[in-house]
Amino acid sequence: MLQFITSKSDNYDIAQQARMAIDGGCLWIQVSNSLPEGTTQKQALQDIKQLCEDSEVFLIVDSDVNLAKEMQIHGVHLKTGDMKPGQAREELGAEAIIGVDVDTAADILSLKGRDMDYVVIDFDDKHDVEAIAKIVDEVRRDGFDINIVVRGDIDMPVMYQLKSVGVNGFAMSNKILDSADPVEATAGILNALGQ
């Protein structure tokens, strides 16, 4: 699974970013709350909603449960400090996709039985391959089969390592947008992941 996260960019507006990711084969677009100056999440969603519907691509938004409901998109990605996951599920209903930022195996296991679709761990100084492998192992040993996604602009060898320890997907932005050909970069990542 590859999630493309929109981003501030000197080269592409949000609609162009989404189009390139979709043309490269990505089936999941997340509208970040990091947007070009003067652009709101609602405007960004309005710009790409029809494209995502026509392409049968999942469309979610960062943080704003009410906006996800208003725009009738697939769901929301919850960050620390956002609405509680259980409340978001009540607001959006059983069919919505809900993802949650996490730091530890305990964070993930606290979601057991709460009908969440995926969790996201940042690839950073605290969460290298070894640390993420331990988190995945602890969660799986507890019998929790939630999708675990790693977010970051990760090089392909590291993606292979993370996939080998049980990571289900990757969420990224600049690695695609900063490449010479974002469509080709997206297709290359998906191909390398066997998707």
Side-chain angles (χ1 to χ4, degrees):
M1 165 174 45
L2 175 64
Q3 298 175 347
F4 173 75
I5 305 172
T6 65
S7 180
K8 289 181 181 176
S9 169
D10 293 332
N11 300 315
Y12 311 110
D13 63 29
I14 300 300
Q16 290 170 320
Q17 293 177 33
R19 168 53 71 189
M20 291 185 297
I22 290 168
D23 285 351
C26 185
L27 299 175
W28 191 303
I29 306 294
Q30 178 176 326
V31 173
S32 168
N33 47 23
S34 175
L35 293 163
E37 192 171 334
T39 302
T40 65
Q41 283 185 307
K42 185 171 183 176
Q43 289 168 332
L45 291 170
Q46 288 170 334
D47 287 346
I48 66 173
K49 183 180 178 188
Q50 193 62 53
L51 168 65
C52 291
E53 287 177 358
D54 292 345
S55 306
E56 298 183 349
V57 168
F58 291 116
L59 177 60
I60 65 171
V61 66
D62 273 358
S63 303
D64 197 330
V65 172
N66 293 327
L67 183 59
K69 191 173 184 178
E70 176 190 344
M71 294 293 296
Q72 298 182 320
I73 59 173
H74 292 99
V76 67
H77 179 82
L78 301 173
K79 298 182 175 183
T80 304
D82 290 341
M83 184 182 287
K84 297 292 184 191
Q87 185 181 350
R89 175 60 71 200
E90 286 180 21
E91 292 284 333
L92 294 176
E95 299 302 314
I97 295 170
I98 300 178
V100 183
D101 276 0
V102 294
D103 279 321
T104 66
D107 291 342
I108 301 173
L109 292 171
S110 74
L111 299 170
K112 203 171 182 182
R114 293 180 180 231
D115 192 22
M116 298 297 113
D117 296 287
Y118 69 97
V119 295
V120 173
I121 304 170
D122 282 316
F123 188 78
D124 55 21
D125 293 341
K126 189 167 71 170
H127 299 106
D128 58 11
V129 173
E130 183 179 353
I132 292 171
K134 287 179 180 175
I135 290 171
V136 173
D137 181 61
E138 186 175 338
V139 170
R140 299 306 183 221
R141 278 190 289 110
D142 195 82
F144 194 17
D145 196 29
I146 193 167
N147 288 308
I148 298 174
V149 175
V150 173
R151 178 174 53 216
D153 294 312
I154 307 165
D155 291 332
M156 199 60 68
V158 176
M159 290 176 71
Y160 284 132
Q161 290 177 55
L162 289 166
K163 190 176 176 191
S164 75
V165 300
V167 167
N168 303 106
F170 299 90
M172 60 184 60
S173 167
N174 293 335
K175 183 170 182 64
I176 291 171
L177 292 179
D178 293 344
S179 66
D181 185 339
V183 174
E184 188 176 292
T186 302
I189 292 165
L190 288 165
N191 185 58
L193 294 173
Q195 298 173 356

